[in-house]
Coordinates of all heavy atoms in Angstrom, one line a residue:
K1011 N 0.8 -1.2 0.0 CA 0.0 0.0 0.0 C 0.9 1.3 0.0 O 0.7 2.1 -0.8 CB -1.0 0.0 1.2 CG -2.0 -1.1 1.1 CD -2.9 -1.0 2.3 CE -4.0 -2.0 2.3 NZ -4.9 -1.9 3.4
D1012 N 1.7 1.3 1.0 CA 2.5 2.5 1.2 C 3.9 2.2 1.7 O 4.0 1.3 2.6 CB 1.8 3.5 2.1 CG 2.4 4.9 2.1 OD1 3.5 5.1 1.6 OD2 1.7 5.8 2.7
L1013 N 4.9 2.7 1.1 CA 6.3 2.4 1.6 C 6.8 3.3 2.7 O 7.9 3.1 3.2 CB 7.3 2.5 0.4 CG 7.0 1.5 -0.7 CD1 7.9 1.7 -1.9 CD2 7.1 0.1 -0.2
K1014 N 6.0 4.3 3.1 CA 6.4 5.2 4.2 C 6.4 4.4 5.5 O 5.6 3.6 5.8 CB 5.4 6.4 4.3 CG 5.5 7.3 3.1 CD 4.5 8.4 3.2 CE 4.6 9.2 1.9 NZ 3.5 10.2 1.9
G1015 N 7.4 4.8 6.3 CA 7.4 4.2 7.7 C 8.1 2.8 7.7 O 8.3 2.3 8.7
I1016 N 8.5 2.3 6.5 CA 9.3 1.1 6.5 C 10.8 1.4 6.7 O 11.3 2.3 6.1 CB 9.1 0.3 5.2 CG1 7.7 -0.1 5.0 CG2 10.1 -0.9 5.1 CD1 7.3 -0.7 3.6
D1017 N 11.4 0.7 7.6 CA 12.7 1.0 8.0 C 13.8 -0.1 7.7 O 14.8 -0.1 8.4 CB 12.7 1.3 9.6 CG 13.5 2.5 9.9 OD1 13.9 3.2 9.1 OD2 13.7 2.7 11.1
I1018 N 13.5 -0.9 6.7 CA 14.4 -2.0 6.4 C 14.9 -1.8 5.0 O 14.2 -1.2 4.1 CB 13.8 -3.4 6.6 CG1 12.5 -3.5 5.7 CG2 13.4 -3.6 8.1 CD1 12.0 -4.9 5.6
K1019 N 16.0 -2.4 4.7 CA 16.5 -2.4 3.3 C 16.0 -3.7 2.7 O 16.1 -4.8 3.3 CB 18.0 -2.4 3.3 CG 18.6 -1.1 3.8 CD 20.1 -1.1 3.8 CE 20.7 0.2 4.3 NZ 22.2 0.2 4.4
I1020 N 15.6 -3.6 1.4 CA 15.1 -4.7 0.7 C 16.1 -5.0 -0.4 O 16.3 -4.2 -1.3 CB 13.7 -4.4 0.1 CG1 12.7 -4.1 1.2 CG2 13.2 -5.6 -0.7 CD1 11.4 -3.5 0.8
Y1021 N 16.7 -6.2 -0.3 CA 17.7 -6.6 -1.3 C 17.0 -7.5 -2.3 O 16.4 -8.5 -2.0 CB 18.9 -7.3 -0.7 CG 19.8 -6.3 0.1 CD1 19.5 -6.0 1.4 CD2 20.8 -5.7 -0.6 CE1 20.3 -5.0 2.1 CE2 21.6 -4.8 0.1 CZ 21.4 -4.5 1.4 OH 22.1 -3.5 2.1
I1022 N 17.2 -7.1 -3.6 CA 16.5 -7.9 -4.7 C 17.5 -8.9 -5.2 O 18.6 -8.5 -5.6 CB 16.1 -6.9 -5.8 CG1 15.2 -5.8 -5.3 CG2 15.4 -7.7 -6.9 CD1 14.0 -6.2 -4.5
D1023 N 17.2 -10.1 -5.1 CA 18.2 -11.2 -5.5 C 17.9 -11.6 -6.9 O 17.7 -12.8 -7.2 CB 18.1 -12.4 -4.5 CG 19.2 -13.3 -4.7 OD1 20.3 -12.9 -5.1 OD2 19.1 -14.5 -4.3
C1024 N 17.9 -10.6 -7.8 CA 17.8 -10.9 -9.3 C 18.4 -9.8 -10.0 O 18.7 -8.8 -9.4 CB 16.3 -11.1 -9.7 SG 15.3 -9.6 -9.5
A1025 N 18.6 -10.0 -11.3 CA 19.2 -9.0 -12.1 C 18.3 -7.7 -12.2 O 17.0 -7.9 -12.0 CB 19.4 -9.5 -13.5
T1026 N 18.8 -6.6 -12.3 CA 18.0 -5.3 -12.3 C 16.9 -5.4 -13.5 O 15.8 -4.9 -13.3 CB 18.9 -4.1 -12.4 OG1 19.9 -4.2 -11.4 CG2 18.1 -2.8 -12.2
N1027 N 17.3 -5.9 -14.6 CA 16.3 -6.0 -15.7 C 15.2 -7.0 -15.4 O 14.0 -6.8 -15.8 CB 17.0 -6.3 -17.1 CG 17.6 -7.6 -17.1 OD1 17.9 -8.3 -16.1 ND2 18.0 -8.0 -18.3
E1028 N 15.5 -8.0 -14.6 CA 14.4 -8.9 -14.1 C 13.5 -8.2 -13.1 O 12.3 -8.3 -13.2 CB 15.0 -10.2 -13.5 CG 15.7 -11.0 -14.5 CD 16.5 -12.2 -13.8 OE1 16.8 -12.1 -12.6 OE2 16.8 -13.1 -14.6
F1029 N 14.1 -7.4 -12.2 CA 13.3 -6.6 -11.2 C 12.5 -5.6 -11.9 O 11.3 -5.4 -11.6 CB 14.3 -5.9 -10.2 CG 13.5 -5.1 -9.2 CD1 12.7 -5.7 -8.3 CD2 13.6 -3.7 -9.2 CE1 11.9 -4.9 -7.4 CE2 13.0 -3.0 -8.3 CZ 12.1 -3.6 -7.4
E1030 N 12.9 -5.0 -13.0 CA 12.1 -4.0 -13.7 C 10.9 -4.7 -14.3 O 9.8 -4.2 -14.2 CB 13.0 -3.4 -14.9 CG 12.5 -2.1 -15.3 CD 11.3 -2.2 -16.3 OE1 11.2 -3.2 -17.1 OE2 10.4 -1.3 -16.2
E1031 N 11.0 -5.9 -14.8 CA 9.9 -6.7 -15.3 C 8.9 -7.1 -14.2 O 7.7 -7.0 -14.3 CB 10.3 -7.9 -16.1 CG 9.2 -8.7 -16.7 CD 8.4 -8.0 -17.7 OE1 8.9 -7.0 -18.4 OE2 7.2 -8.3 -17.9
I1032 N 9.5 -7.5 -13.1 CA 8.7 -7.8 -11.9 C 7.9 -6.6 -11.4 O 6.7 -6.7 -11.1 CB 9.6 -8.4 -10.8 CG1 10.1 -9.8 -11.1 CG2 8.8 -8.4 -9.4 CD1 11.2 -10.2 -10.3
M1033 N 8.5 -5.5 -11.4 CA 7.9 -4.2 -11.0 C 6.7 -3.9 -12.0 O 5.6 -3.5 -11.5 CB 8.9 -3.1 -11.1 CG 8.4 -1.8 -10.6 SD 9.6 -0.5 -10.9 CE 9.5 -0.4 -12.6
Q1034 N 6.8 -4.2 -13.2 CA 5.8 -4.0 -14.2 C 4.6 -4.8 -13.8 O 3.4 -4.4 -13.9 CB 6.2 -4.2 -15.6 CG 7.3 -3.3 -16.2 CD 6.9 -1.8 -16.1 OE1 5.7 -1.5 -16.4 NE2 7.8 -1.0 -15.7
Q1035 N 4.8 -6.1 -13.5 CA 3.8 -7.0 -13.1 C 3.1 -6.5 -11.8 O 1.9 -6.6 -11.6 CB 4.3 -8.4 -13.0 CG 4.8 -9.0 -14.2 CD 3.6 -9.3 -15.2 OE1 2.5 -9.6 -14.8 NE2 3.9 -9.1 -16.5
F1036 N 3.9 -6.1 -10.8 CA 3.4 -5.6 -9.6 C 2.4 -4.4 -9.8 O 1.4 -4.2 -9.1 CB 4.5 -5.1 -8.6 CG 4.9 -6.1 -7.6 CD1 6.1 -6.7 -7.6 CD2 3.9 -6.6 -6.6 CE1 6.5 -7.6 -6.6 CE2 4.3 -7.5 -5.7 CZ 5.6 -8.0 -5.7
K1037 N 2.7 -3.6 -10.8 CA 1.9 -2.4 -11.0 C 0.4 -2.8 -11.4 O -0.5 -2.0 -11.2 CB 2.5 -1.5 -12.1 CG 3.7 -0.7 -11.6 CD 4.2 0.3 -12.5 CE 4.0 0.4 -13.9 NZ 4.7 1.4 -14.6
T1038 N 0.2 -4.0 -11.8 CA -1.2 -4.4 -12.1 C -2.0 -4.7 -10.9 O -3.2 -4.6 -10.9 CB -1.2 -5.7 -13.0 OG1 -0.6 -6.8 -12.2 CG2 -0.4 -5.6 -14.3
V1039 N -1.3 -4.9 -9.7 CA -2.0 -5.0 -8.4 C -1.7 -3.9 -7.5 O -2.4 -3.7 -6.5 CB -1.7 -6.4 -7.8 CG1 -2.3 -7.5 -8.6 CG2 -0.3 -6.6 -7.6
A1040 N -0.6 -3.2 -7.7 CA -0.3 -2.1 -6.8 C 0.2 -0.9 -7.7 O 1.4 -0.8 -8.0 CB 0.9 -2.5 -5.9
S1041 N -0.8 -0.1 -8.1 CA -0.5 0.9 -9.1 C 0.6 1.9 -8.7 O 1.2 2.6 -9.5 CB -1.7 1.7 -9.5 OG -2.3 2.3 -8.3
K1042 N 0.8 2.1 -7.4 CA 1.8 3.0 -6.9 C 3.2 2.5 -6.8 O 4.1 3.1 -6.4 CB 1.4 3.6 -5.5 CG 0.1 4.4 -5.5 CD -0.2 4.9 -4.2 CE -1.5 5.7 -4.3 NZ -1.8 6.3 -3.0
F1043 N 3.4 1.2 -7.2 CA 4.7 0.6 -7.3 C 5.4 1.0 -8.6 O 5.4 0.2 -9.6 CB 4.6 -0.9 -7.2 CG 5.8 -1.7 -6.7 CD1 6.3 -1.5 -5.5 CD2 6.5 -2.5 -7.6 CE1 7.5 -2.2 -5.1 CE2 7.6 -3.1 -7.2 CZ 8.1 -3.0 -6.0
T1044 N 6.0 2.2 -8.6 CA 6.6 2.7 -9.8 C 8.1 3.0 -9.5 O 8.5 3.1 -8.4 CB 5.9 4.1 -10.2 OG1 6.1 5.0 -9.1 CG2 4.4 3.9 -10.4
P1045 N 8.8 3.3 -10.6 CA 10.2 3.7 -10.4 C 10.4 4.9 -9.5 O 11.3 4.9 -8.7 CB 10.7 4.0 -11.8 CG 9.9 3.1 -12.7 CD 8.5 3.1 -12.0
T1046 N 9.5 5.8 -9.6 CA 9.6 7.0 -8.7 C 9.4 6.7 -7.2 O 10.2 7.1 -6.4 CB 8.5 8.1 -9.2 OG1 8.8 8.4 -10.5 CG2 8.6 9.3 -8.3
T1047 N 8.4 5.9 -6.9 CA 8.1 5.5 -5.5 C 9.2 4.6 -5.0 O 9.6 4.8 -3.8 CB 6.7 4.9 -5.3 OG1 6.6 3.7 -6.1 CG2 5.6 5.8 -5.6
I1048 N 9.7 3.8 -5.8 CA 10.8 2.9 -5.4 C 12.1 3.8 -5.1 O 12.7 3.6 -4.1 CB 11.2 1.9 -6.5 CG1 10.1 0.8 -6.5 CG2 12.5 1.2 -6.2 CD1 10.1 -0.1 -7.7
S1049 N 12.3 4.7 -6.0 CA 13.5 5.6 -5.8 C 13.3 6.5 -4.5 O 14.3 6.6 -3.7 CB 13.6 6.5 -7.0 OG 14.8 7.3 -6.9
K1050 N 12.2 7.1 -4.3 CA 11.9 7.9 -3.2 C 12.0 7.2 -1.9 O 12.4 7.7 -0.8 CB 10.6 8.6 -3.3 CG 10.5 9.8 -4.3 CD 9.2 10.4 -4.3 CE 9.1 11.5 -5.3 NZ 7.8 12.2 -5.3
S1051 N 11.6 5.9 -1.9 CA 11.6 5.1 -0.6 C 13.1 4.8 -0.1 O 13.3 4.6 1.1 CB 10.9 3.8 -0.9 OG 11.7 2.9 -1.6
K1052 N 14.0 4.7 -1.0 CA 15.4 4.4 -0.7 C 15.5 3.1 0.1 O 16.3 3.0 1.0 CB 16.1 5.6 0.0 CG 16.2 6.8 -0.8 CD 16.9 7.9 -0.2 CE 17.0 9.1 -1.2 NZ 17.7 10.2 -0.7
L1053 N 14.6 2.2 -0.3 CA 14.5 0.8 0.4 C 15.1 -0.3 -0.4 O 15.5 -1.3 0.2 CB 13.1 0.5 0.8 CG 12.4 1.4 1.7 CD1 10.9 1.0 1.8 CD2 13.0 1.4 3.1
F1054 N 15.1 -0.2 -1.7 CA 15.4 -1.3 -2.6 C 16.9 -1.2 -3.1 O 17.4 -0.2 -3.5 CB 14.5 -1.3 -3.8 CG 13.1 -1.5 -3.4 CD1 12.2 -0.5 -3.0 CD2 12.6 -2.8 -3.4 CE1 10.9 -0.7 -2.6 CE2 11.2 -3.1 -3.1 CZ 10.4 -2.0 -2.7
Y1055 N 17.5 -2.4 -2.9 CA 19.0 -2.5 -3.3 C 19.2 -3.7 -4.2 O 18.5 -4.7 -4.1 CB 19.8 -2.7 -2.0 CG 19.9 -1.4 -1.2 CD1 18.8 -1.1 -0.3 CD2 20.9 -0.5 -1.3 CE1 18.8 0.0 0.5 CE2 20.9 0.6 -0.5 CZ 19.9 0.9 0.3 OH 19.9 2.0 1.1
A1056 N 20.1 -3.5 -5.2 CA 20.4 -4.6 -6.1 C 21.3 -5.6 -5.3 O 21.8 -5.4 -4.2 CB 21.2 -4.1 -7.3
K1057 N 21.5 -6.8 -5.9 CA 22.3 -7.8 -5.3 C 23.6 -7.3 -4.8 O 24.1 -7.7 -3.8 CB 22.6 -8.9 -6.4 CG 21.6 -10.0 -6.4 CD 22.2 -11.3 -7.1 CE 21.8 -11.4 -8.5 NZ 22.1 -12.7 -9.1
E1058 N 24.2 -6.5 -5.6 CA 25.6 -5.9 -5.3 C 25.6 -4.9 -4.3 O 26.6 -4.4 -3.9 CB 26.2 -5.4 -6.6 CG 26.2 -6.2 -7.8 CD 24.8 -6.2 -8.6 OE1 24.1 -5.1 -8.5 OE2 24.4 -7.2 -9.2
G1059 N 24.4 -4.5 -3.8 CA 24.3 -3.5 -2.7 C 24.0 -2.1 -3.3 O 24.0 -1.1 -2.5
T1060 N 23.9 -1.9 -4.6 CA 23.6 -0.7 -5.2 C 22.2 -0.2 -5.0 O 21.2 -1.0 -5.2 CB 23.8 -0.7 -6.8 OG1 25.1 -1.2 -7.0 CG2 23.6 0.6 -7.4
L1061 N 21.9 1.0 -4.5 CA 20.6 1.5 -4.3 C 19.9 1.6 -5.7 O 20.4 2.1 -6.6 CB 20.7 2.9 -3.7 CG 19.3 3.6 -3.4 CD1 18.5 2.8 -2.4 CD2 19.5 5.0 -3.0
I1062 N 18.7 1.0 -5.7 CA 17.9 1.0 -6.9 C 17.1 2.3 -7.0 O 16.3 2.6 -6.1 CB 16.9 -0.2 -7.0 CG1 17.8 -1.5 -7.1 CG2 16.0 -0.1 -8.2 CD1 16.9 -2.7 -7.0
D1063 N 17.4 3.1 -8.0 CA 16.6 4.4 -8.1 C 16.0 4.4 -9.5 O 16.2 3.6 -10.3 CB 17.5 5.6 -7.9 CG 18.7 5.7 -8.9 OD1 18.7 5.0 -9.9 OD2 19.6 6.5 -8.7
A1064 N 15.2 5.5 -9.7 CA 14.4 5.6 -10.9 C 15.3 5.6 -12.1 O 15.0 4.9 -13.1 CB 13.5 6.8 -10.9
N1065 N 16.4 6.3 -12.1 CA 17.3 6.4 -13.2 C 17.9 5.0 -13.5 O 17.9 4.6 -14.7 CB 18.4 7.4 -12.9 CG 19.3 7.6 -14.1 OD1 18.9 8.0 -15.1 ND2 20.6 7.3 -13.9
L1066 N 18.3 4.2 -12.5 CA 18.8 2.9 -12.8 C 17.8 2.0 -13.5 O 18.1 1.3 -14.5 CB 19.3 2.3 -11.5 CG 19.8 0.8 -11.6 CD1 21.0 0.7 -12.5 CD2 20.1 0.3 -10.2
L1067 N 16.5 2.1 -13.0 CA 15.5 1.3 -13.7 C 15.2 1.8 -15.1 O 15.0 0.9 -16.0 CB 14.2 1.4 -12.8 CG 14.3 0.7 -11.5 CD1 13.1 1.0 -10.6 CD2 14.4 -0.8 -11.7
Y1068 N 15.2 3.0 -15.3 CA 14.9 3.5 -16.7 C 16.1 3.2 -17.7 O 15.8 2.7 -18.8 CB 14.7 5.1 -16.7 CG 13.4 5.5 -16.1 CD1 13.4 6.4 -15.1 CD2 12.2 4.9 -16.5 CE1 12.2 6.8 -14.5 CE2 11.0 5.3 -15.9 CZ 11.0 6.2 -14.9 OH 9.8 6.6 -14.4
V1069 N 17.3 3.3 -17.2 CA 18.5 2.9 -18.0 C 18.5 1.4 -18.3 O 18.7 1.0 -19.4 CB 19.8 3.4 -17.3 CG1 21.0 2.8 -18.0 CG2 19.9 4.9 -17.3
T1070 N 18.2 0.7 -17.3 CA 18.1 -0.8 -17.4 C 17.1 -1.2 -18.4 O 17.3 -2.0 -19.3 CB 17.8 -1.5 -16.1 OG1 18.9 -1.2 -15.1 CG2 17.7 -3.0 -16.2
K1071 N 15.9 -0.6 -18.3 CA 14.8 -0.9 -19.2 C 15.2 -0.6 -20.7 O 14.8 -1.4 -21.6 CB 13.5 -0.2 -18.9 CG 12.3 -0.5 -19.7 CD 11.1 0.2 -19.2 CE 9.9 -0.2 -20.0 NZ 8.6 0.3 -19.4
S1072 N 15.9 0.5 -20.9 CA 16.2 0.9 -22.3 C 17.4 0.2 -22.8 O 17.5 0.0 -24.0 CB 16.3 2.4 -22.4 OG 17.4 2.8 -21.6
K1073 N 18.4 -0.2 -22.0 CA 19.6 -0.8 -22.5 C 19.8 -2.2 -22.2 O 20.6 -2.9 -22.9 CB 20.8 0.0 -21.8 CG 20.9 1.4 -22.3 CD 22.2 2.1 -21.9 CE 22.2 3.5 -22.4 NZ 23.5 4.1 -22.3
S1074 N 19.1 -2.8 -21.3 CA 19.3 -4.2 -21.0 C 18.0 -5.0 -21.1 O 17.3 -5.3 -20.2 CB 19.9 -4.3 -19.5 OG 20.2 -5.7 -19.2
K1075 N 17.7 -5.3 -22.3 CA 16.5 -6.0 -22.7 C 16.4 -7.4 -22.1 O 17.4 -8.1 -22.1 CB 16.2 -6.1 -24.2 CG 16.2 -4.7 -24.8 CD 15.0 -3.9 -24.4 CE 14.9 -2.6 -25.1 NZ 14.0 -1.7 -24.6
L1076 N 15.3 -7.8 -21.5 CA 15.1 -9.1 -20.9 C 14.6 -10.0 -22.0 O 13.8 -9.7 -22.8 CB 14.1 -8.9 -19.8 CG 13.9 -10.1 -18.9 CD1 15.2 -10.5 -18.1 CD2 12.8 -9.8 -17.9
A1077 N 15.2 -11.3 -22.0 CA 14.8 -12.3 -22.9 C 13.3 -12.6 -22.8 O 12.7 -12.6 -21.7 CB 15.6 -13.6 -22.7
I1078 N 12.6 -12.8 -23.9 CA 11.2 -13.1 -23.9 C 10.8 -14.2 -23.0 O 9.8 -14.2 -22.4 CB 10.6 -13.3 -25.4 CG1 9.1 -13.3 -25.4 CG2 11.2 -14.5 -26.0 CD1 8.5 -11.9 -25.2
E1079 N 11.7 -15.2 -23.0 CA 11.4 -16.4 -22.1 C 11.3 -16.0 -20.6 O 10.4 -16.5 -19.9 CB 12.5 -17.5 -22.3 CG 12.5 -18.1 -23.7 CD 13.4 -17.2 -24.6 OE1 14.1 -16.3 -24.2 OE2 13.3 -17.5 -25.8
K1080 N 12.2 -15.1 -20.2 CA 12.1 -14.7 -18.8 C 10.9 -13.8 -18.6 O 10.2 -13.9 -17.5 CB 13.4 -13.9 -18.5 CG 14.6 -14.8 -18.3 CD 15.5 -14.3 -17.3 CE 16.7 -15.3 -17.2 NZ 17.5 -15.0 -16.1
K1081 N 10.5 -13.0 -19.5 CA 9.3 -12.1 -19.4 C 8.1 -13.0 -19.3 O 7.2 -12.8 -18.4 CB 9.2 -11.2 -20.6 CG 10.0 -10.0 -20.6 CD 9.7 -9.1 -21.7 CE 10.4 -7.8 -21.6 NZ 10.0 -6.8 -22.6
E1082 N 8.0 -14.1 -20.1 CA 6.9 -15.0 -20.0 C 6.8 -15.7 -18.7 O 5.8 -15.9 -18.1 CB 7.0 -15.9 -21.2 CG 6.7 -15.3 -22.5 CD 6.9 -16.2 -23.7 OE1 7.5 -17.3 -23.6 OE2 6.5 -15.8 -24.8
L1083 N 8.0 -16.1 -18.2 CA 8.1 -16.8 -16.9 C 7.6 -15.9 -15.8 O 6.7 -16.3 -14.9 CB 9.5 -17.3 -16.6 CG 9.7 -18.0 -15.3 CD1 8.9 -19.2 -15.1 CD2 11.2 -18.3 -15.1
I1084 N 8.1 -14.7 -15.7 CA 7.7 -13.7 -14.7 C 6.1 -13.5 -14.8 O 5.4 -13.5 -13.8 CB 8.5 -12.4 -14.8 CG1 9.9 -12.7 -14.4 CG2 7.8 -11.3 -13.9 CD1 10.9 -11.6 -14.8
S1085 N 5.6 -13.3 -16.0 CA 4.2 -13.1 -16.2 C 3.4 -14.3 -15.7 O 2.4 -14.1 -15.1 CB 3.9 -12.8 -17.7 OG 2.6 -12.7 -17.9
A1086 N 3.9 -15.5 -16.0 CA 3.2 -16.7 -15.6 C 3.1 -16.8 -14.1 O 2.1 -17.2 -13.5 CB 3.8 -18.0 -16.2
I1087 N 4.2 -16.4 -13.4 CA 4.2 -16.5 -11.9 C 3.1 -15.5 -11.4 O 2.4 -15.9 -10.5 CB 5.6 -16.1 -11.4 CG1 6.6 -17.2 -11.7 CG2 5.6 -15.8 -9.9 CD1 8.1 -16.8 -11.5
F1088 N 3.0 -14.3 -11.9 CA 2.0 -13.4 -11.4 C 0.6 -13.8 -11.8 O -0.3 -13.6 -11.0 CB 2.3 -12.0 -12.0 CG 3.3 -11.3 -11.1 CD1 4.7 -11.4 -11.3 CD2 2.9 -10.4 -10.1 CE1 5.6 -10.8 -10.5 CE2 3.8 -9.8 -9.3 CZ 5.2 -10.0 -9.5
Q1089 N 0.5 -14.5 -13.0 CA -0.9 -15.0 -13.3 C -1.3 -16.1 -12.3 O -2.5 -16.1 -11.9 CB -0.9 -15.6 -14.7 CG -0.8 -14.5 -15.8 CD -0.7 -15.0 -17.2 OE1 -0.7 -16.2 -17.4 NE2 -0.6 -14.1 -18.2
N1090 N -0.4 -16.9 -11.9 CA -0.7 -18.0 -11.0 C -1.1 -17.4 -9.6 O -2.0 -17.9 -8.9 CB 0.5 -19.0 -10.8 CG 0.6 -19.9 -11.9 OD1 -0.4 -20.2 -12.6 ND2 1.8 -20.4 -12.2
I1091 N -0.4 -16.3 -9.2 CA -0.6 -15.7 -7.9 C -2.1 -15.1 -8.0 O -2.8 -15.2 -7.0 CB 0.4 -14.6 -7.6 CG1 1.7 -15.3 -7.3 CG2 0.0 -13.7 -6.5 CD1 2.9 -14.3 -7.2
R1092 N -2.4 -14.4 -9.1 CA -3.7 -13.8 -9.3 C -4.8 -14.9 -9.2 O -5.9 -14.7 -8.6 CB -3.8 -13.0 -10.6 CG -3.1 -11.7 -10.5 CD -3.3 -10.9 -11.8 NE -2.2 -10.0 -12.0 CZ -1.2 -10.2 -12.9 NH1 -1.2 -11.2 -13.7 NH2 -0.2 -9.3 -13.0
K1093 N -4.6 -16.0 -9.8 CA -5.5 -17.2 -9.8 C -5.7 -17.7 -8.4 O -6.9 -18.0 -8.0 CB -5.1 -18.3 -10.7 CG -5.2 -18.1 -12.1 CD -4.7 -19.3 -12.9 CE -4.7 -19.0 -14.4 NZ -4.1 -20.1 -15.2
E1094 N -4.7 -17.8 -7.6 CA -4.7 -18.3 -6.3 C -5.5 -17.4 -5.4 O -6.2 -17.8 -4.5 CB -3.3 -18.5 -5.7 CG -2.6 -19.7 -6.3 CD -1.2 -19.8 -5.8 OE1 -0.8 -19.1 -4.8 OE2 -0.5 -20.7 -6.3
K1095 N -5.4 -16.1 -5.6 CA -6.1 -15.1 -4.8 C -7.6 -15.0 -5.2 O -8.4 -14.4 -4.5 CB -5.4 -13.7 -4.9 CG -4.1 -13.7 -4.2 CD -3.6 -12.4 -3.9 CE -2.4 -12.5 -3.0 NZ -2.2 -11.3 -2.2
G1096 N -7.9 -15.5 -6.4 CA -9.2 -15.5 -6.9 C -9.8 -14.3 -7.2 O -10.8 -13.8 -7.3

């Protein structure tokens, strides 16, 4: 719902371009989960410990394309979650 008041660092254990795709899927259920809100929260970190900000996500999206197979896999995971929640 809201990232305010959270006091922990969230380390993403996947490539940044995979996280960008996951973020796109999250936006279908949490419309405020955007590069801007992620950046402002200063909560999300890449595997290497790099703070994930809006610029990193935009650069990753434009320069580091994710293979279609991975996009389909991520989409399928979210579809299964939606089915389970009914």
Side-chain angles (χ1 to χ4, degrees):
K1011 293 181 179 182
D1012 193 345
L1013 297 174
K1014 293 177 184 169
I1016 296 175
D1017 224 8
I1018 60 170
K1019 293 179 181 178
I1020 302 167
Y1021 287 87
I1022 307 302
D1023 194 24
C1024 63
T1026 308
N1027 62 346
E1028 292 170 341
F1029 178 65
E1030 201 283 325
E1031 182 62 28
I1032 291 167
M1033 187 187 65
Q1034 296 303 319
Q1035 293 292 326
F1036 262 119
K1037 285 190 340 187
T1038 65
V1039 293
S1041 61
K1042 293 182 181 180
F1043 198 68
T1044 65
T1046 302
T1047 56
I1048 288 169
S1049 184
K1050 285 182 180 179
S1051 75
K1052 297 185 180 179
L1053 297 173
F1054 294 87
Y1055 291 81
K1057 271 200 260 195
E1058 311 81 29
T1060 306
L1061 179 65
I1062 297 175
D1063 62 14
N1065 185 57
L1066 176 62
L1067 291 170
Y1068 290 127
V1069 168
T1070 298
K1071 185 176 183 175
S1072 66
K1073 292 190 176 189
S1074 185
K1075 300 295 181 190
L1076 190 61
I1078 190 72
E1079 296 84 12
K1080 287 212 177 189
K1081 281 186 176 190
E1082 290 172 350
L1083 176 61
I1084 292 168
S1085 179
I1087 290 168
F1088 276 85
Q1089 286 175 4
N1090 284 335
I1091 292 169
R1092 285 186 206 104
K1093 284 180 188 175
E1094 288 176 7
K1095 289 198 172 206

